[in-house]
Amino acid sequence: MRAFLFLICPVLLFLGVSYLLPFLGIVQLSFTDPDPGLAQYSRVLTEDLPTGVIWRTLRLCVMVTAVSVSCAYVITLLWVRGSPLVRSITELCIMIPFWISVLSRAFGWLSMLSNRGLLNTWLQDMGLIDSAIQMTRNEFAVVVGMSHYLIPFAVFPLATAMRNVDERVLTAADGMGASRLRIFWQVFLPMTSSGILGATLLVFVFSIGFYVTPALLGGGQSVLVAELIYLWIFQIPQWGMAAAMSVVLMLGVGGILYVLMRRYGEMAK
Amino acid sequence: MNRLRPGVIATLLSGLVAVFLLMPLIAVVPVSFTSRRYLSLPNGEWSWRHYAALFEDAEWGQSLLTSVQVGVLASFLAVALAAAFCIGIWMLRPRGAGLMTGFVLLPMMAPPVVSSLTLYFFLNKMARWNDIIAYDKLGGVVLAHMVMVVPYAVVVIMVSLSQLDRRMDLAAQSMGASVPTRVFGVIIPNIRFGLIGAFFLCFLLSWDEIGVTLFVTSVETITLPRRMWMGLRDNVDPSIAALSVLLICVVTLLVVIRAAMLMRKESLR
């Protein structure tokens, strides 16, 4: 039992004191600051500003998830089923952005999309547009930046699903005269649906708590939930509201993760 | 068989996705050579001034040092805690092992902004008791990073322990080895690659960490990502383009070397 104390306990103690206890403090704060009771929750869930931000976050995250998962599906297809050379090229295209810091990537999109950025300069040089198009500080930039960040994360569950597809089933479909398109729609796509579900939920959960990319590319114009929490802590101190919003966020994400685990548990059986 | 390889349409679409993935990484290169003080393309004249600024400005060097210090300390401590925990679970197989592991993985699954808020509250409280492990102090940042990377260390070490032959430990035990001998003489030497891998992963995550760092630092302890953030938020400083180009080159080099090594390994088989 002494081994238990020395080996297992330190990390439990560490996270208990520095993570669990302060989190419970936040939960408590959400019920007490500034007024005791459920006032903060009712404000978070009924006032125009927070509900507007929640809806915008959900809408943007749905868009980001759709873009990321479909882009990831296409490139994973090549990564898993292409010829060896194609495979190594796509692997580099997925892995290099994956390891690059979120800040460098957001900055890359700023240099690409800003008024004096690459895209606007090109378009003006070619004479297609007269003055720069505003492509940053709006939801378009946020969706582009977040999707770019999340595509590699969507690739991994999709790759697992695609590797599990039995080659012989495809050969059988081919042998029975099905067209390429039909093999894809009626055989391959349904067989990889578990990967699509996993990727969708993973990307969606990730995107909801996202802070850095939307804050930089949205330029304060399209605030998402995480940025609102930051503002409520550091700009217009309303700690109770920030705490309540965090608890709501935690419950939402927890619910989605619970569904994900149960679904995966069922499929593993 | 070739009929079942991805066709022209899939290849074309993947090419577009690949361009999308690499575009922002390429866009920073010309911006980093601009001769102006703001984000723009070099208009005829290319200049190294923003690279020079990185090396001349003592603040960037200080932040680099801070990032390395935080990364090494946080990863070392996190790996030590995680290794003890995983070895304890592996040796003793206590009741509730799943629950305990789930608890340790919590900071990985919670939305980052919730973890940030939690650690902000904790370090704020700690600031009243001491000025080492506190808000905006090196110790505080190290602690915050430890909380965030411990789950990843646990996952990596659990995987390498699962490949370890239990009979080796049983043999040592039956010959009368004490728990410390079993841990340090048998288990740790056999999972050393897992431990090194966990350390590198933790260091990389800490090196890149920005979400939590934003909440727990302000003016004193500024890591590299934090300084990038400040340069991006206030006015887009092209020094960040220069820094991003350097970071992107390093990452690209590492990923390409790794890929080349893997390919060599496969062709040798």
Side-chain angles (χ1 to χ4, degrees):
Chain A
M1 272 301 97
R2 275 178 52 206
F4 184 83
L5 283 180
F6 286 114
L7 289 171
I8 298 180
C9 280
V11 86
L12 298 179
L13 213 64
F14 171 72
L15 285 179
V17 171
S18 62
Y19 197 76
L20 190 62
L21 278 181
F23 181 71
L24 295 178
I26 287 180
V27 175
Q28 192 198 15
L29 198 68
S30 71
F31 290 110
T32 55
D33 180 82
D35 315 303
L38 290 167
Q40 288 70 245
Y41 285 95
S42 75
R43 284 181 64 196
V44 160
L45 296 173
T46 56
E47 267 182 19
D48 285 346
L49 172 71
T51 48
V53 170
I54 291 176
W55 282 118
R56 178 189 296 136
T57 308
L58 288 177
R59 196 183 69 230
L60 274 181
C61 290
V62 168
M63 275 159 49
V64 165
T65 308
V67 173
S68 314
V69 174
S70 35
C71 286
Y73 196 91
V74 183
I75 200 158
T76 314
L77 198 67
L78 225 62
W79 184 36
V80 173
R81 305 194 53 86
S83 62
L85 177 72
V86 170
R87 244 185 278 172
S88 34
I89 294 173
T90 28
E91 187 173 320
L92 288 180
C93 292
I94 296 165
M95 285 302 165
I96 291 172
F98 178 69
W99 285 114
I100 282 167
S101 114
V102 57
L103 286 166
S104 296
R105 288 159 76 172
F107 183 76
W109 281 114
L110 280 177
S111 354
M112 193 76 208
L113 301 175
S114 74
N115 288 351
R116 287 185 296 261
L118 224 55
L119 206 57
N120 268 316
T121 313
W122 278 345
L123 289 175
Q124 276 171 330
D125 287 352
M126 285 192 291
L128 290 174
I129 52 170
D130 296 325
S131 56
I133 309 174
Q134 176 78 25
M135 283 184 285
T136 53
R137 293 179 178 271
N138 54 26
E139 294 188 354
F140 167 75
V142 176
V143 171
V144 165
M146 283 173 71
S147 307
H148 182 261
Y149 187 82
L150 290 164
I151 286 172
F153 290 95
V155 164
F156 300 122
L158 288 171
T160 313
M162 284 188 200
R163 289 204 179 100
N164 284 338
V165 170
D166 193 338
E167 185 89 6
R168 286 169 301 181
V169 179
L170 301 181
T171 318
D174 185 40
M176 298 210 279
S179 67
R180 288 182 66 94
L181 202 64
R182 194 164 163 169
I183 295 177
F184 179 74
W185 276 111
Q186 295 197 328
V187 183
F188 195 74
L189 199 64
M191 282 174 83
T192 50
S193 59
S194 69
I196 297 175
L197 182 81
T200 304
L201 287 178
L202 185 78
V203 168
F204 191 69
V205 163
F206 263 40
S207 63
I208 283 185
F210 230 68
Y211 173 63
V212 172
T213 309
L216 287 175
L217 290 169
Q221 296 303 304
S222 44
V223 174
L224 301 191
V225 166
E227 197 177 353
L228 188 62
I229 292 176
Y230 183 87
L231 293 176
W232 274 341
I233 292 291
F234 293 103
Q235 309 272 317
I236 12 165
Q238 299 206 20
W239 287 16
M241 295 287 278
M245 186 62 111
S246 300
V247 173
V248 169
L249 192 62
M250 189 81 177
L251 289 176
V253 167
I256 299 171
L257 281 174
Y258 179 72
V259 172
L260 179 78
M261 304 236 176
R262 272 196 54 176
R263 185 63 216 269
Y264 263 121
E266 273 167 28
M267 283 189 298
K269 267 173 203 165
Chain B
M1 254 350 203
N2 267 340
R3 269 178 56 81
L4 295 170
R5 292 243 191 255
V8 185
I9 304 169
T11 313
L12 220 62
L13 287 174
S14 304
L16 285 178
V17 176
V19 168
F20 176 69
L21 284 173
L22 297 179
M23 206 154 56
L25 313 183
I26 295 162
V28 290
V29 178
V31 171
S32 73
F33 287 105
T34 181
S35 56
R36 308 217 176 91
R37 288 178 172 278
Y38 49 83
L39 196 158
S40 58
L41 290 180
N43 208 348
E45 44 184 334
W46 291 55
S47 138
W48 287 93
R49 63 181 279 189
H50 300 297
Y51 288 89
L54 281 184
F55 291 96
E56 281 159 16
D57 195 340
E59 286 186 336
W60 286 107
Q62 184 57 45
S63 294
L64 186 85
L65 190 70
T66 307
S67 267
V68 172
Q69 280 174 332
V70 169
V72 170
L73 275 171
S75 326
F76 182 77
L77 293 170
V79 170
L81 281 178
F85 174 77
C86 297
I87 292 172
I89 295 274
W90 186 80
M91 281 170 66
L92 303 167
R93 289 193 261 187
R95 236 183 297 162
L99 204 66
M100 284 189 261
T101 312
F103 171 65
V104 173
L105 297 185
L106 205 59
M108 187 166 78
M109 296 193 274
V113 68
V114 175
S115 304
S116 309
L117 194 60
T118 306
L119 289 161
Y120 169 72
F121 273 92
F122 177 67
L123 293 175
N124 240 344
K125 283 239 166 74
M126 290 297 283
R128 283 185 215 148
W129 303 99
N130 71 84
D131 51 358
I132 299 164
I133 299 178
Y135 176 75
D136 204 16
K137 295 285 187 291
L138 191 72
V141 183
V142 169
L143 181 130
H145 281 205
M146 272 171 75
V147 170
M148 297 311 287
V149 301
V150 150
Y152 296 91
V154 166
V155 170
V156 173
I157 298 170
M158 284 265 176
V159 169
S160 58
L161 273 172
S162 69
Q163 289 155 357
L164 184 63
D165 192 344
R166 207 168 263 286
R167 283 169 299 184
M168 240 181 328
D169 182 46
L170 286 177
Q173 193 184 6
S174 66
M175 306 209 343
S178 64
V179 172
T181 316
R182 282 159 62 197
V183 171
F184 289 103
V186 181
I187 298 174
I188 286 185
N190 276 299
I191 58 164
R192 60 184 184 281
F193 291 113
L195 295 177
I196 295 169
F199 179 85
F200 275 110
L201 181 65
C202 290
F203 183 81
L204 262 177
L205 291 169
S206 158
W207 172 258
D208 246 6
E209 208 321 301
I210 178 67
V212 172
T213 314
L214 272 183
F215 276 76
V216 301
T217 60
S218 67
V219 288
E220 263 189 63
T221 313
I222 301 178
T223 61
L224 204 58
R226 168 88 208 204
R227 184 163 301 283
M228 286 177 81
W229 167 270
M230 283 158 43
L232 279 176
R233 197 77 216 253
D234 305 338
N235 56 323
V236 181
D237 177 357
S239 302
I240 294 163
L243 182 64
S244 292
V245 170
L246 294 179
L247 293 176
I248 289 169
C249 287
V250 172
V251 170
T252 307
L253 203 69
L254 289 176
V255 172
V256 171
I257 290 174
R258 196 181 152 270
M261 272 163 57
L262 284 179
M263 269 170 71
R264 234 180 90 100
K265 224 175 169 182
E266 259 171 42
S267 65
L268 283 178
R269 254 179 217 156

